[in-house]
Structures are given as C-alpha cells and as structure tokens.
Amino acid sequence: MTIFLTVLLTIFIAEMGDKTQLLLVAMAGKYKISHILSGTWLATILLNIMAVGVGAALSKYLDMRIIKFIAAIAFFWFAYATLKGESEDEEENTAKHNFGPVLAIFISFFIGELGDKTQLSAITLAANYTQSSFVNAFAVFLGCTLGLILADLIGLIVGVILKSKMPTGILNILSFAIFSVFGVVNIREAMLLIFGAGTQAIAGYLIITVVFALLCLVTFIKNFRHHT
C-alpha cells in the first residue's frame, strides 16, 4: 500500500500541467467524452505495462527522433482538423466510424506521453521498486495508472467546462492553438535530435512549420469565404 500511494502521488504530481493533460483540454472540444476516455485509458494502461514490464531498460530501445517526429505530425494533424471544422456529427453517422476517434486519440496520447517526464518517472519507479521483488510490480502499475488517469481527468473536466461555457468558435481556436504549439515544439525537438544544433535542424524545423502554417492559412481563407 505504501508503494502504491507513493507511486500514485508521484505520477499525479508529474502529470499536472503536462502537455498530455493540456491535450485533453483541447480534445474535449472536438471529441465525445466516451471516445476520449476509451483512447486515453487504453494508452495509459499500455504505457504503464511497458514501464513496469521493461523498467529502466525501455529507454535503450526507444528512438526519440522517430517518436518526436510522429508526435509533431500527430499534433499538426489535430490542429489542422480542428481548423478544418470536422464535426462529431459526421463521426456518428455510422457505427464503423466510432472506432476512428478512439484510435486517433489513443495514438496521439500514446505518442505524446511516450518518453515524457511522466513516463520516465514511471520507468524509474518501476526499476526502483521491482529491484528487490517483482511482487511490487502490480502496486507500481496500479499507482502509475491511477495517478495518470486522475491527473488527466482534471484536464478533461476543464475541457468539458470550457466546452459548455465558451462559444464553439473560441474553444476551437484554443484547441487549434494547443495542438499547434505542441506540434511546433515536437518538430523542433525532433530536428535537433536528428541533425543536432546546426543549420540543418533549423532549416528542417522552419520548413515544416512554414508548410503547416501555409496549409492552415489556405484552409482558414476557404472557411472564411464559405461563411461570407
């Protein structure tokens, strides 16, 4: 019980204010709560199984260059989709589309959390508490999972409150801004990991960011003309 509570509190604090918590605020303005909970909880369980099962050795098998790049593309896509104005109504037309949002949320949350400070904390805790006995693994897994879920529920609640209190347009702008910032930050980190701190990294970072900005500008102009 001591290990469980220690791990839960550590992960809860580590996740507070983290990018995936803010990501849920943005997702609340785009997806159904059931889809968000399904996608994020599945990702959380899988991430913590990996952390406890592999422990500190997990970091040796992860190529952060690929992870950061995929995370950037995922966040850019969410930002673009928010700007484009994809609606939940279209997702609900047929049952076969219900799996789409869950998968999208799962992938985005999984990649966003993988290699993050919360995930690294889980790996460290798993390695520490399972050194003497692997019996502690379940307590570590449960503490990590519940700590992450509780912290992210706060982000989801904030998102739901904003969705009910704020005009849809403003919430969409907020969601677009959050996704875009995460995309820019991750693509910058990916370029630095791939090319190092040189002109190639700066060029790659600027090119991808500018292409994304131009694509969003074209979409914004089309939407503006459509509504006027």
Side-chain angles (χ1 to χ4, degrees), residues 132-180:
S132 56
S133 174
F134 198 75
V135 176
N136 298 330
F138 181 72
V140 175
F141 166 76
L142 198 59
C144 288
T145 302
L146 290 181
L148 194 60
I149 287 175
L150 288 175
D152 288 334
L153 276 176
I154 294 177
L156 181 57
I157 291 171
V158 171
V160 170
I161 292 174
L162 290 176
K163 185 177 181 179
S164 63
K165 300 295 182 181
M166 296 173 63
T168 303
I170 296 178
L171 186 57
N172 285 341
I173 292 173
L174 177 62
S175 300
F176 171 77
I178 292 174
F179 290 134
S180 297

Side-chain angles (χ1 to χ4, degrees), residues 6-26:
T6 301
V7 173
L8 188 151
L9 184 61
T10 302
I11 296 299
F12 180 81
I13 294 173
E15 182 66 8
M16 293 301 293
D18 194 57
K19 65 176 181 293
T20 44
Q21 189 183 47
L22 297 176
L23 184 61
L24 288 175
V25 175

Side-chain angles (χ1 to χ4, degrees), residues 13-66:
I13 294 173
E15 182 66 8
M16 293 301 293
D18 194 57
K19 65 176 181 293
T20 44
Q21 189 183 47
L22 297 176
L23 184 61
L24 288 175
V25 175
M27 284 182 173
K30 180 176 174 58
Y31 295 106
K32 293 174 61 178
I33 295 178
S34 59
H35 291 159
I36 297 173
L37 292 178
S38 299
T40 55
W41 287 3
L42 285 172
T44 298
I45 292 172
L46 180 57
L47 284 164
N48 288 319
I49 288 175
M50 290 171 61
V52 175
V54 184
L58 178 64
S59 59
K60 298 179 182 179
Y61 301 99
L62 294 178
D63 191 333
M64 293 305 298
R65 296 172 297 180
I66 297 175

Side-chain angles (χ1 to χ4, degrees), residues 64-109:
M64 293 305 298
R65 296 172 297 180
I66 297 175
I67 291 171
K68 290 294 183 181
F69 186 80
I70 294 176
I73 299 303
F75 290 136
F76 279 146
W77 169 251
F78 274 109
Y80 174 74
T82 301
L83 185 64
K84 192 176 180 182
E86 292 179 353
S87 66
E88 289 181 356
D89 295 334
E90 293 175 350
E91 295 169 3
E92 295 173 352
N93 286 337
T94 58
K96 67 178 181 181
H97 288 156
N98 288 334
F99 186 67
V102 175
L103 182 60
I105 293 167
F106 168 83
I107 293 173
S108 180
F109 189 87

Side-chain angles (χ1 to χ4, degrees), residues 193-226:
L193 288 171
I194 294 171
F195 298 109
T199 55
Q200 287 181 312
I202 297 174
Y205 160 66
L206 290 177
I207 289 172
I208 295 175
T209 302
V210 169
V211 169
F212 167 71
L214 289 175
L215 181 62
C216 290
L217 179 61
V218 170
T219 303
F220 175 78
I221 293 173
K222 286 182 178 179
N223 288 343
F224 180 78
R225 289 177 176 174
H226 179 71

